Each structure stands twice: as structure tokens, then as C-alpha cells.
Amino acid sequence: DAGVIQSPRHEVTEMGQEVTLRCKPISGHDYLFWYRQTMMRGLELLIYFNNNVPIDDSGMPEDRFSAKMPNASFSTLKIQPSEPRDSAVYFCASSSHPGQGDGGGLSVQFFGPGTRLTVL
Amino acid sequence: AQSVTQLGSHVSVSEGALVLLRCNYSSSVPPYLFWYVQYPNQGLQLLLKYTSAATLVKGINGFEAEFKKSETSFHLTKPSAHMSDAAEYFCAVRGSGGSNYKLTFGKGTLLTVNP
């Protein structure tokens, strides 16, 4: 299994430009998560999807951020317009259904390598 | 709501020395707890998880963690540090009820191993 795939690995853009980050989850996983990691705030959950449907987007910082999951094998996180404070590493993760009982074993999230975004 | 606190943002040890990374949790229900490791320029990888089956959990790369309910702790240890253990380590707790899909992460502890 190739694991969670993210692209691009690095993105440098200028303030005001649109940025699109891409993620391919592990096949068969029905949960997909977008995180942002910064020195100041650590690892923050932005949004998550279940079966391609956005379930909780309470972590999305502003209307400039949007995420979609058109099918089970692809998701995007878009920032429009981008600002310097959006500079961070963005991770995508996927997992199977948490399940019941010993659900910890089924709710392990597998992370992609991340996209390092720099907004100048 | 569940939360975790990692004591010490940076821990430095000598190669061969004991590694101890601290994590305390807050949870209104029996928690599911995780330790993840992040190597430079990589994503997070699962080290081990606690799911109530056993209080002492063994993970990969010689790491283990002990769940202590009385202390609300889940500290990560390794008897002998190796240079390759240098990384950032995150403790996380799983949500409960309708939030059981969510993981809440600590701020992380950066482990440095000196030769």
C-alpha cells in the first residue's frame, strides 16, 4: 500500500494567490482528515470527511479555506486568497471506521507526508 | 472534552540513556490514547496505542508506554536511546461519543539524542 499521498510536497506562493493542496487517502478508508501544523498552535484539525461528506469543519479558520472530497480517492484543500499567516505544514490523514468496543484499533489515523506551504 | 498535556517541549538525552516523555490526559470517559512520532520532514507515524486491553503497551522501535489511571498519565519510555530516535513525539487522545473519530494532540516533545 502506498499510504496517504499528498501533493505538492512544497508550495511557495505570493499573498493573494489561490493555493490547492491535494490528498489521496488509503484505499478502503472512509474517513479523511485535514490538519494544519504550526510552531505556535501545534497540530490542529481543520475538517474531516466521512464517506466523502464533510462532517465537521469547525476547525476551518476562515471562509478563505474550503475543502472538497469529490470521490473516495481524492480530496482538496483550497485557500483563496492566501495570506502569509497561512504558512504551515498541512497534513492529510485517513482512517477506517472507529467501530465499537475496542475501537481504538480501528480508529488509527494514517498520515501523509504533508505539504509545506509558504506564503510570501 | 478530552485533552492531553505533554510536559516538556524539548528533551535531550545521551545515546544509550533512558528516554522518558511525559503525557497527562484529561477525559470524562475511559480514554483511548496514542503516541505518534514525526521524523523531520515527514508525516506522523503511530508508535503505540492504549485501548484498555493492557496497561503496559509495547510499540515499535522498542518504545513502550504505561497507562496509569490514578495519575491520568501515559508516559512513553525506551530503555536505551538510539540516534535514530531523534524526532518529535506527540501524545493524542481519541474523542468519545459522537466525536470518537477525532484525535486531540498534545503540543509535542522534541527528542534530541546526543552521541
Side-chain angles (χ1 to χ4, degrees):
Chain A
D1 194 331
V4 176
I5 299 172
Q6 291 187 248
S7 65
R9 292 294 310 275
H10 302 272
E11 176 80 35
V12 180
T13 190
E14 293 188 347
M15 182 174 62
Q17 297 298 306
E18 177 179 296
V19 174
T20 300
L21 311 181
R22 298 172 175 79
C23 174
K24 176 179 169 55
I26 292 173
S27 177
H29 283 184
D30 49 9
Y31 282 82
L32 184 139
F33 307 81
W34 282 101
Y35 289 89
R36 178 172 67 176
Q37 185 180 38
T38 62
M39 290 291 290
M40 291 297 294
R41 301 175 68 91
L43 201 61
E44 305 173 277
L45 177 65
L46 300 178
I47 185 172
Y48 91 95
F49 294 83
N50 177 215
N51 292 323
N52 313 335
V53 176
I55 303 299
D56 184 349
D57 65 355
S58 60
M60 296 284 262
E62 301 173 30
D63 291 345
R64 298 184 296 106
F65 286 70
S66 63
K68 294 181 180 180
M69 192 165 186
N71 57 63
S73 59
F74 183 65
S75 177
T76 60
L77 178 67
K78 186 175 293 186
I79 308 172
Q80 167 61 20
S82 58
E83 296 182 3
R85 59 191 168 127
D86 301 330
S87 297
V89 181
Y90 291 82
F91 289 103
C92 176
S94 69
S95 74
S96 54
H97 187 74
Q100 301 298 317
D102 184 14
L106 297 178
S107 65
V108 172
Q109 294 183 19
F110 294 85
F111 283 73
T115 296
R116 182 174 296 277
L117 172 65
T118 302
V119 182
L120 303 175
Chain B
Q2 281 74 17
S3 66
V4 291
T5 302
Q6 292 183 240
L7 301 177
S9 60
H10 189 194
V11 170
S12 181
V13 300
S14 298
E15 191 173 19
L18 171 72
V19 175
L20 171 60
L21 304 182
R22 300 176 187 273
C23 173
N24 287 88
Y25 70 89
S26 173
S27 177
S28 57
V29 298
Y32 291 115
L33 296 159
F34 304 79
W35 274 99
Y36 279 83
V37 61
Q38 183 179 26
Y39 297 103
N41 300 314
Q42 295 186 28
L44 280 71
Q45 301 174 29
L46 181 70
L47 266 181
L48 51 81
K49 60 185 185 289
Y50 167 75
T51 58
S52 77
T55 57
L56 183 62
V57 182
K58 293 188 183 300
I60 63 172
N61 301 337
F63 284 93
E64 62 182 34
E66 185 172 10
F67 174 75
K68 292 186 177 181
K69 183 178 178 180
S70 61
E71 299 178 7
T72 61
S73 68
F74 189 57
H75 301 334
L76 182 71
T77 61
K78 181 174 180 178
S80 177
H82 191 274
M83 296 295 289
S84 61
D85 295 326
E88 190 156 20
Y89 293 79
F90 293 89
C91 182
V93 61
R94 199 188 79 172
S96 63
S99 298
N100 64 354
Y101 51 82
K102 279 185 167 181
L103 290 180
T104 300
F105 287 87
K107 294 292 188 184
T109 298
L110 181 64
L111 175 66
T112 301
V113 182
N114 304 306

